[in-house]
Amino acid sequence: MILIIAEKPSLGRNIAAGIGNFKKCNGFLQGDGCIITWAFGHLFSLADIERYNPLPDGTRNWTMKNLPCFPEKFEYELRKGNDKGLDDGVVRQFKIIEELCNRDDVDLIVNAGDADREGEIIVRTCIEKALKTPKNVKRLWLPDQTPQTVAAAFADMKNDSEYECLAAEGYARTYIDWLYGVNLTRYATLKTGTLLRVGRVIVPIVKAIYDRDMAIRNFVPEKYYSIVSKEETNGETVELQSKQKFKGNELYKAQEACARYNAQKATVISVKRKKDTLSSGKLYSLSKLQNVLGKKYKMSMAESLEIIQRLYESGYLTYPRTNSEYLATAEKDKVKKILDNCAKIGYPVVFKDKKTIFDDSKIESHSAITPTYKIPDKSRLSEKEMQVYSTVFRRFIAVFCAEDCLVEKIEITISVGDLEEFALKGMAIKEKGWMKYDDSTQKDKILPDLKKGDEVNINFVPNEKETTPPKHYTIETLNNYLKNPFREEKAAIDDTVGADDAEEYRAMFEGVELGTEATRTGIIDNARKSGYIQLKKDVYTILPDGIYFIESLQRMEICMDKYKTSEMGKALKKVFRGEIQIQDSVDLAVNEIARYFQASTEAPLEEDRDIGFFGDIVGECPICKADVKRNKFGYGCSAYKSGCKFSINSYICGRAISARNVKLLLKEGKTSKIRGFTSKNGKNFDAVLKIADGRCVFDFDAPNPSN
């Protein structure tokens, strides 16, 4: 008897449809020689800190007494419900899985998790927890959920041991994210008195949006001049924009340049016309598809992924969580069948056996998202489902379109004396071809009708302009940043079939990206739900809680930037490739996290930046003699409800004021000389803080008090 364990009930039903002849039982489906049951996604989750470092009083209060926590062995527990007790449905379903796994007549168990690292370990963990004695385990790997694919994959299953490296990476990611999330969330929350959801990937994502918005807020526009000519020749305006630029106080230089240019003759020195074939866009990876849906339909990444996943589970699209825009060579026959279906309903398609479409070297686990042979009834899809499906379907048609998009490209070069050459580029679409089926930003750009040797009228004048701030992140630009945070944002990304993308895929497979196609959407959505960022239409902006989140981490010197996060990503890819072990990657995370828990008293007082913990008493109020305590934004009198306003910011002139220095300030009236302040004009300085008239102020001339 074969037991198939699907990741979710919907997948279980689709597998049954592909194999056939099943009857419904309590928590499973029974067929001839085969049983299908399922998890509910994650039935198990990693145990919390209290499992490894229990408190003496048995409570689960967050405290530094059991931090940091670095388990020697990570333990999985059945998932808890909202009340933190065991979820009855989860317990019930796992008992069914356990009973079925250990039935005497079951001699083969099939892992039918989703075809990714998360799906691999979800079902693998269930099997490991359920089995009393070892049994043979195979893997059902489904690129889509159509009955034909299920039947073909079921007949060609591999041993689950062949997916050990995939599972290893999945477990390593889970352990490392637990180490960062559980340890640093508790640590930062205890430090600030505010729940801060610290994570390995959420921090650099929010930090990117924070940095961009701060750059926009602090941007000071600068005036400059360019020189431009817009004169008519043969009844058509010819615009020439010089590459020269002049500062805002250099108008006279711009005017002098205009005079020099206008004293010359402008002549057409070449006219090049070239007929060309324009390539369509490549097939979609998940993030590239989300970029398009966000830009065109203003769909958030969470909404678009939910719809894409639903279309996948309905059998209309292939597996969504892919980072590739290419198809596997083994899929050629399947693609031919899909194209046959498309041709039957009137689309002019032809199979193209090209390396620019089929390339195994650019596929990590999954091919690009495409339609399946199963074409939906449009009346049965919602408007948004149709928008998503049509976007994928039209791109597939464009890539395999039998009709080329033919264009004429024109380049006119105009020389203004020997001062500068101007290149005017245009394009005329002669035959739309694939453009009739897929949206394209390419439009006709018609140039003036000029011939070689024509003299062009010119009149250059200064054109006053202002520098512009950087733009807020959009779904597209944030996704592009997260896929490769080290790529220049202004560098054009050519997503057309045949474009040179070797460097992009090399970086992706090395693991430099922040998050993965499978996790990125959920992490960004968590940042939104946590109130750190907001998404309006297609634009991300930072929120006040996000500012507090990032600045609090900076004050605690918790640095989780793109460099450290991508280094961890590279280590995880090494686990996937079998180059290092799970524990090697875990050790890297442990060493990094341990730094934040080192005793701050090791630092000299003048260098100390440890602000202590929320609620710590640091001294006596110089005004009313009540306790001064650490609060959300610094140190304040505990009698504030009675009207005492005494407070000290924990961050002054770019410098954290340590709890030890505040204790000295309240006891002696002055701190030690503190190093590392930054003035408004960016200069560094050292200074002593003192109490004067009930306020904390600088005292630059004071000698150091005794410690």
Side-chain angles (χ1 to χ4, degrees):
M1 182 74 75
I2 299 173
L3 170 64
I4 300 174
I5 304 175
E7 184 173 329
K8 288 175 280 191
S10 61
L11 178 55
R13 291 191 294 271
N14 288 339
I15 293 171
I19 299 173
N21 299 320
F22 282 85
K23 64 178 181 179
K24 189 174 181 180
C25 301
N26 183 25
F28 62 96
L29 301 172
Q30 179 84 48
D32 184 17
C34 188
I35 303 167
I36 300 174
T37 190
W38 45 80
F40 301 138
H42 289 277
L43 287 186
F44 288 87
S45 59
L46 285 175
D48 222 333
I49 281 178
E50 286 70 26
R51 172 74 174 267
Y52 311 106
N53 294 348
L55 295 172
D57 58 5
T59 65
R60 300 180 64 87
N61 296 329
W62 288 12
T63 171
M64 287 297 294
K65 293 177 181 177
N66 56 6
L67 288 177
C69 180
F70 303 132
E72 290 185 12
K73 182 182 178 182
F74 288 90
E75 299 287 345
Y76 277 92
E77 297 178 333
L78 280 171
R79 194 181 73 209
K80 295 180 173 60
N82 292 332
D83 60 355
K84 297 301 181 182
L86 288 176
D87 185 306
D88 291 340
V90 166
V91 173
R92 189 162 48 248
Q93 190 60 27
F94 178 66
K95 283 184 177 178
I96 291 169
I97 293 172
E98 191 174 34
E99 289 170 1
L100 293 172
C101 280
N102 293 291
R103 271 176 45 168
D104 292 339
D105 61 341
V106 169
D107 51 15
L108 174 63
I109 299 173
V110 175
N111 178 343
D114 273 355
D116 60 16
R117 60 180 69 83
E118 188 174 21
E120 175 66 30
I121 67 172
I122 283 174
V123 177
R124 187 179 278 237
T125 302
C126 287
I127 295 170
E128 289 175 354
K129 288 287 187 180
L131 268 181
K132 301 289 191 293
T133 56
K135 293 188 178 182
N136 190 21
V137 180
K138 288 187 177 290
R139 183 65 157 101
L140 183 64
W141 190 265
L142 297 174
D144 66 62
Q145 294 190 20
T146 58
Q148 285 89 336
T149 298
V150 170
F154 187 67
D156 189 31
M157 293 187 294
K158 297 178 182 178
N159 289 327
D160 201 35
S161 58
E162 294 193 30
Y163 297 86
E164 285 295 333
C165 285
L166 182 72
E169 186 196 355
Y171 283 123
R173 282 184 184 276
T174 304
Y175 300 159
I176 288 168
D177 287 342
W178 185 95
L179 287 167
Y180 275 98
V182 173
N183 279 297
L184 295 184
T185 291
R186 292 193 182 200
Y187 177 72
T189 299
L190 290 168
K191 278 277 190 181
T192 62
T194 302
L195 176 60
L196 298 182
R197 292 180 172 86
V198 183
R200 183 179 64 90
V201 179
I202 193 174
V203 172
I205 287 175
V206 177
K207 178 80 161 52
I209 297 169
Y210 167 89
D211 287 344
R212 178 59 54 83
D213 282 20
M214 292 302 108
I216 293 169
R217 290 186 192 185
N218 298 327
F219 182 79
V220 179
E222 294 182 4
K223 187 171 70 172
Y224 71 95
Y225 293 96
S226 64
I227 60 174
V228 183
S229 171
K230 293 182 183 179
E231 290 294 297
E232 282 192 5
T233 298
N234 300 333
E236 296 183 86
T237 300
V238 180
E239 181 175 344
L240 303 178
Q241 171 84 49
S242 173
K243 294 176 183 176
Q244 289 200 68
K245 290 183 173 60
F246 303 90
K247 295 179 182 178
N249 61 353
E250 295 179 334
L251 174 59
Y252 70 97
K253 287 187 179 180
Q255 291 169 334
E256 289 174 352
C258 289
R260 287 196 303 273
Y261 277 59
N262 291 333
Q264 303 293 318
K265 280 188 177 182
T267 307
V268 177
I269 59 173
S270 71
V271 178
K272 296 177 182 178
R273 295 177 182 273
K274 178 186 176 184
K275 290 182 178 179
D276 203 354
T277 300
L278 205 63
S279 296
S280 71
K282 288 183 286 193
L283 297 170
Y284 288 122
S285 65
L286 175 59
S287 58
K288 295 292 175 66
L289 177 55
Q290 289 177 311
N291 290 351
V292 172
L293 295 171
K295 195 170 186 177
K296 186 172 182 181
Y297 299 113
K298 310 307 177 192
M299 287 187 195
S300 71
M301 290 175 65
E303 181 184 26
S304 61
L305 178 57
E306 181 184 351
I307 296 170
I308 298 164
Q309 179 73 20
R310 195 155 62 236
L311 291 169
Y312 160 68
E313 292 177 1
S314 299
Y316 300 132
L317 296 180
T318 56
Y319 185 75
R321 291 173 174 83
T322 174
N323 57 9
S324 181
E325 299 151 295
Y326 291 83
L327 299 175
T329 54
E331 296 177 296
K332 290 178 182 179
D333 288 341
K334 183 180 79 170
V335 170
K336 288 176 184 177
K337 291 176 183 177
I338 299 171
L339 291 171
D340 286 344
N341 277 356
C342 295
K344 287 175 185 176
I345 57 176
Y347 289 96
V349 290
V350 62
F351 179 73
K352 300 176 183 179
D353 192 352
K354 296 181 177 180
K355 182 80 169 177
T356 54
I357 300 172
F358 295 92
D359 189 346
D360 293 339
S361 71
K362 291 177 180 174
I363 299 171
E364 190 174 48
S365 298
H366 293 284
S367 298
I369 302 170
T370 70
T372 66
Y373 80 94
K374 185 178 176 183
I375 298 174
D377 179 350
K378 293 181 181 180
S379 65
R380 301 188 67 179
L381 296 184
S382 69
E383 180 184 1
K384 290 189 175 183
E385 286 173 335
M386 198 63 214
Q387 288 170 346
V388 172
Y389 180 79
S390 294
T391 301
V392 177
F393 184 84
R394 290 196 305 266
R395 177 56 59 88
F396 183 78
I397 296 298
V399 169
F400 290 99
C401 189
E403 303 171 353
D404 288 333
C405 177
L406 302 178
V407 299
E408 183 180 44
K409 294 180 178 178
I410 307 161
E411 182 173 338
I412 300 173
T413 305
I414 299 171
S415 175
V416 178
D418 58 358
L419 296 178
E420 188 172 352
E421 289 185 359
F422 298 81
L424 307 181
K425 295 181 180 181
M427 186 181 74
I429 299 169
K430 298 300 184 181
E431 292 183 26
K432 281 197 164 185
W434 59 261
M435 272 194 192
K436 292 184 285 189
Y437 309 101
D438 189 33
D439 293 338
S440 173
T441 56
Q442 297 282 0
K443 305 292 180 187
D444 283 334
K445 183 181 179 184
I446 307 301
L447 295 182
D449 186 16
L450 297 173
K451 298 179 181 62
K452 184 177 180 180
D454 284 352
E455 189 172 322
V456 178
N457 296 323
I458 56 172
N459 181 27
F460 282 91
V461 294
N463 185 14
E464 183 179 315
K465 293 184 177 181
E466 278 191 342
T467 54
T468 57
K471 294 181 179 179
H472 292 286
Y473 276 113
T474 64
I475 289 175
E476 180 178 15
T477 56
L478 182 64
N479 252 339
N480 290 342
Y481 169 78
L482 297 177
K483 282 178 75 71
N484 187 348
F486 304 101
R487 176 177 49 206
E488 283 288 333
E489 185 174 339
K490 292 181 180 179
I493 300 174
D494 188 348
D495 284 331
T496 58
V497 170
D500 182 7
D501 52 15
E503 185 60 36
E504 181 179 351
Y505 275 83
R506 190 180 303 114
M508 188 191 322
F509 293 158
E510 283 178 4
V512 302
E513 60 185 348
L514 304 182
T516 66
E517 300 283 346
T519 62
R520 201 174 290 134
T521 297
I523 294 168
I524 292 174
D525 203 43
N526 283 340
R528 289 176 61 201
K529 290 176 179 177
S530 299
Y532 298 151
I533 61 174
Q534 69 175 353
L535 177 66
K536 282 190 175 179
K537 294 186 177 179
D538 185 32
V539 175
Y540 288 108
T541 52
I542 198 75
L543 293 173
D545 283 353
I547 295 173
Y548 181 77
F549 175 64
I550 294 300
E551 293 183 353
S552 293
L553 295 180
Q554 289 173 338
R555 291 166 194 173
M556 289 181 275
E557 299 189 323
I558 294 177
C559 178
M560 297 169 67
D561 57 19
K562 64 182 182 181
Y563 300 98
K564 291 185 178 178
T565 300
S566 64
E567 283 303 313
M568 189 57 65
K570 289 179 183 178
L572 289 167
K573 290 296 184 185
K574 289 180 180 178
V575 174
F576 175 68
R577 294 192 296 269
E579 296 170 6
I580 63 174
Q581 301 300 309
I582 293 174
Q583 192 59 46
D584 297 326
S585 64
V586 169
D587 289 343
L588 289 174
V590 167
N591 293 336
E592 178 64 25
I593 295 165
R595 293 193 311 106
Y596 303 120
F597 291 88
Q598 291 172 353
S600 61
T601 51
E602 294 175 1
L605 195 55
E606 61 270 21
E607 302 286 353
D608 190 17
R609 295 171 184 266
D610 185 7
I611 59 175
F613 291 89
F614 184 84
D616 283 353
I617 297 173
V618 292
E620 184 180 89
C621 176
I623 297 174
C624 71
K625 307 305 180 185
D627 289 337
V628 175
K629 295 183 177 181
R630 254 289 322 283
N631 56 32
K632 183 174 180 178
F633 296 103
Y635 311 88
C637 180
S638 58
Y640 67 94
K641 290 184 179 179
S642 301
C644 185
K645 303 295 185 183
F646 178 77
S647 67
I648 302 170
N649 287 334
S650 59
Y651 208 66
I652 299 173
C653 290
R655 196 346 176 148
I657 309 304
S658 72
R660 289 167 65 207
N661 266 307
V662 173
K663 287 178 181 179
L664 184 62
L665 174 66
L666 295 175
K667 181 180 179 182
E668 304 287 345
K670 293 183 179 181
T671 65
S672 67
K673 180 169 281 191
I674 299 172
R675 295 176 182 168
F677 292 108
T678 306
S679 67
K680 289 182 179 179
N681 60 10
K683 291 185 178 180
N684 294 328
F685 66 94
D686 304 335
V688 169
L689 296 175
K690 69 177 182 179
I691 300 293
D693 299 325
R695 294 173 59 245
C696 176
V697 296
F698 286 114
D699 183 0
F700 294 102
D701 300 322
N704 284 353
S706 63
N707 292 348

